[in-house]
Amino acid sequence: MIAEPFAVGRSPIHRMDPRPRVVLATVFSFLAALSNGIPTLAGGLAFSVILVAAARLDMGLLVRRLLPLWGFLLLLWLVLPLTHKGETLYTIGPLPATREGLLLSARITLKSHAILLAFTAWVATMSFVTLGHALNRLRAPEKIVHLLLLTYRYIFVLEEEYGRLLRAARLRGFQPGTNLHTYRTYAYLIGMLFLRAADRAQRVHRAMQCRGFQGKFYSLYRFRAAPSDWIGGAAMTVAMIGLVYLEWKCRNLS
Amino acid sequence: MPQPVITLKGISFTYPGGKTALDRIDLTFYEGERIGLLGPNGSGKTTLFHIIMGLLQPTSGAMAFFGNPLKDPRDFKTIYRQIGLLFQDADDQLFCPSVLEDVAFGPLNMGASREEAIRIARETLAHLGLEGFEDRFPHHLSGGEKRFVSLATVLAMSPRALLLDEPTTGLDAQTRTRLIDVLKGLDLSYLIISHDMAFLAEITDKVYAMEKGRLYTEEKVRLHRHVHAHPHGAHPHEHR
């Protein structure tokens, strides 16, 4: 089930025109991913924390969303300092931990948090449908937009169908275990699901043809940028230019 | 003399694999007619509808719409705006992320402007008593609501005739009655597939039967009402 817990809200970010939000989030991710200076990355993280605060996100939910990332980062912090070549800072048993390894772990941590938080604040605060239409307005390839919107529409239907199949199997005494019978049953269920999805796709296409579909979708949505959007967007752009400047400084120093 | 909406002559259809779904169907469906189509599962009813809409190409036979013989499959583009098909499963018909977009989809494809399409969609929804549904997500609607929104998507294209594929399936008694009222109130000709005899008796003038790909249009099949008696009890029951 796709839940959109952040999509509802009345914060300044929620009220901002979705198009600049998508653009800013994309530019910012590239910026954070390509920067290497620790000050730049720390600045980027601070910027995304401010965004999260401005979007007034539910902290509990946000932490739950970050948990998988933390698990992954924990692994990196354990492995990278010990495996990366460089100047030895300390040793754990026979293994030397390097300065470069620690720095790399810190960079990855800062980058991933900055990107994830900025995306949550900017993009997760709009509904899936709005995102689709914003991409459409931004002239993203139509096929991608349709794929996105149709997937969103039918993922629930397929989930329900899968649930029905699984229930039918359970009612006939199916209990999943670690054995060939279980694997085979799941393979059958998934195979059935693919068949049904293909059938449904054909029926949906026919229904669309009957309503005169000729390969082109028309969007009913129109977005209007308010003056406050221009000011907000400009401020965020200036902040990002500041980050670029910081990165340039960092590179010149080293 | 009423104009024939659809004329089928010797239409046959064989599925890849050799199963004959339709066997030399002859049918003339006139403007103003309201016809029911009865028949067991797998007798070719839905296939017939899909052939009429150009979704499947007949193996042999000829078709004409409003008196004009169909020569090129591309002619179906003009058929879509004149004949509307209501699908068996509303989830197939409603594919947009909002009700308003779904109802506006047909008019937009027909070349209506955005404002016009929204106006038509709102009017159609209002006509069916679905005001306030515009921004709902189709998947979250109840079965009955989905059926009415599907009907709205078809009616928004202002067709001259409707093909309805089992429209009462899965509806409760109250919703079914509402559907009957709506269909009775439409100034349209229609062909209805249904297993619901009482429903057909109420909203159609005649009933044709299909069996094993053959269509029987003689007045052999006729629905009639008759009185019956049974002991009075506390259990709810239905009269057909």
Side-chain angles (χ1 to χ4, degrees):
Chain A
M1 190 79 180
I2 301 175
E4 303 170 308
F6 298 127
V8 276
R10 303 216 45 77
S11 78
I13 300 234
H14 282 92
R15 273 175 293 163
M16 198 175 162
D17 187 322
R19 290 167 303 171
R21 276 152 68 190
V22 172
V23 174
L24 287 168
T26 313
V27 174
F28 180 79
S29 329
F30 275 103
L31 188 63
L34 296 174
S35 296
N36 264 323
I38 295 280
T40 324
L41 294 173
L45 182 61
F47 180 55
S48 56
V49 167
I50 293 170
L51 287 178
V52 167
R56 294 185 213 134
L57 301 180
D58 180 334
M59 281 304 144
L61 268 174
L62 188 62
V63 167
R64 229 175 300 159
R65 286 246 168 142
L66 289 174
L67 278 178
L69 174 69
W70 290 345
F72 176 70
L73 288 175
L74 186 70
L75 206 69
L76 281 186
W77 278 98
L78 288 176
V79 174
L80 271 183
L82 300 178
T83 52
H84 211 268
K85 274 199 188 111
E87 181 190 335
T88 307
L89 275 187
Y90 56 91
T91 50
I92 301 172
L95 293 167
T98 63
R99 208 178 90 91
E100 281 73 11
L102 282 173
L103 273 177
L104 188 62
S105 308
R107 275 200 197 103
I108 293 173
T109 308
L110 289 173
K111 279 184 191 193
S112 52
H113 276 89
I115 294 174
L116 208 70
L117 290 179
F119 247 94
T120 312
W122 264 322
V123 180
T125 45
M126 62 182 87
S127 73
F128 219 78
V129 178
T130 315
L131 175 62
H133 288 295
L135 286 173
N136 181 272
R137 293 279 130 226
L138 289 169
R139 319 214 168 230
E142 280 204 334
K143 283 198 174 118
I144 291 187
V145 177
H146 303 155
L147 214 56
L148 197 73
L149 290 178
L150 284 175
T151 304
Y152 178 70
R153 171 64 183 85
Y154 283 102
I155 198 127
F156 301 104
V157 176
L158 290 177
E159 188 195 24
E160 251 176 31
E161 279 186 359
Y162 179 70
R164 272 204 294 272
L165 290 169
L166 196 64
R167 225 171 303 137
R170 284 215 182 106
L171 285 176
R172 283 187 284 154
F174 172 64
Q175 276 180 344
T178 315
N179 52 46
L180 200 59
H181 173 65
T182 302
Y183 302 146
R184 190 180 298 128
T185 308
Y186 274 118
Y188 287 165
L189 287 181
I190 289 165
M192 252 343 256
L193 197 64
F194 275 123
L195 272 180
R196 288 188 183 199
D199 274 353
R200 180 163 309 265
Q202 193 189 32
R203 293 199 303 270
V204 171
H205 184 238
R206 285 180 174 177
M208 288 165 75
Q209 271 182 296
C210 283
R211 286 196 276 153
F213 179 64
Q214 286 159 33
K216 172 131 184 64
F217 279 94
Y218 303 87
S219 177
L220 286 181
Y221 280 73
R222 291 284 182 282
F223 298 114
R224 282 244 322 265
S228 58
D229 290 343
W230 288 107
I231 299 167
M236 291 170 182
T237 312
V238 167
M240 293 205 296
I241 291 172
L243 289 176
V244 173
Y245 177 72
L246 210 58
E247 176 67 11
W248 181 70
K249 277 277 192 195
C250 288
R251 290 202 180 180
N252 278 357
L253 277 177
S254 61
Chain B
M1 180 72 193
Q3 205 194 358
V5 179
I6 302 163
T7 320
L8 303 181
K9 280 221 160 57
I11 291 285
S12 294
F13 180 74
T14 308
Y15 275 106
K19 187 181 164 268
T20 301
L22 297 178
D23 185 13
R24 286 161 289 146
I25 302 266
D26 292 316
L27 170 72
T28 311
F29 172 43
Y30 289 98
E31 195 128 45
E33 275 190 315
R34 301 179 159 197
I35 300 174
L37 211 52
L38 266 175
N41 295 331
S43 57
K45 306 181 298 289
T46 301
T47 310
L48 180 65
F49 275 13
H50 286 194
I51 292 262
I52 293 176
M53 294 305 290
L55 299 171
L56 296 169
Q57 267 71 53
T59 333
S60 63
M63 286 193 262
F65 292 92
F66 302 99
N68 306 314
L70 186 83
K71 294 188 198 87
D72 192 319
R74 270 172 295 180
D75 293 351
F76 276 111
K77 288 209 176 114
T78 56
I79 303 307
Y80 295 144
R81 56 178 88 202
Q82 303 188 50
I83 300 173
L85 169 60
L86 187 74
F87 278 64
Q88 233 172 68
D89 185 348
D91 263 321
D92 294 340
Q93 201 140 16
L94 305 176
F95 63 89
C96 292
S98 79
V99 167
L100 187 71
E101 282 174 276
D102 239 321
V103 182
F105 178 76
L108 283 173
N109 285 330
M110 304 282 87
S113 73
R114 178 179 163 267
E115 287 71 27
E116 239 179 310
I118 292 178
R119 184 184 53 78
I120 294 170
R122 286 191 193 281
E123 277 174 12
T124 314
L125 287 170
H127 176 69
L128 293 176
L130 297 169
E131 294 103 334
F133 276 68
E134 288 85 352
D135 293 322
R136 301 271 300 271
F137 181 42
H139 182 70
H140 293 158
L141 301 176
S142 74
E145 289 165 346
K146 273 186 199 169
R147 183 77 61 192
F148 279 100
V149 173
S150 304
L151 188 61
T153 67
V154 174
L155 291 180
M157 299 180 70
S158 35
R160 289 164 73 180
L162 288 182
L163 306 177
L164 307 162
D165 197 345
E166 299 195 24
T168 57
T169 310
L171 298 188
D172 61 39
Q174 208 188 339
T175 318
R176 183 173 162 278
T177 313
R178 226 181 101 204
L179 184 66
I180 292 174
D181 290 341
V182 166
L183 290 176
K184 275 184 171 171
L186 292 176
D187 186 24
L188 287 172
S189 342
Y190 46 72
L191 262 173
I192 299 187
I193 295 176
S194 183
H195 299 293
D196 184 344
M197 306 244 191
F199 173 69
L200 288 181
E202 199 150 352
I203 63 159
T204 60
D205 311 318
K206 46 182 161 182
V207 173
Y208 294 162
M210 276 196 82
E211 203 174 351
K212 293 187 180 134
R214 297 285 297 156
L215 180 72
Y216 300 95
T217 56
E218 316 83 82
E219 306 264 319
K220 194 166 77 176
V221 258
R222 233 177 129 148
L223 293 177
H224 62 283
R225 289 184 172 280
H226 62 129
V227 179
H228 74 281
H230 58 84
H232 197 76
H235 297 288
H237 59 275
E238 199 187 349
H239 283 171
R240 294 202 169 244

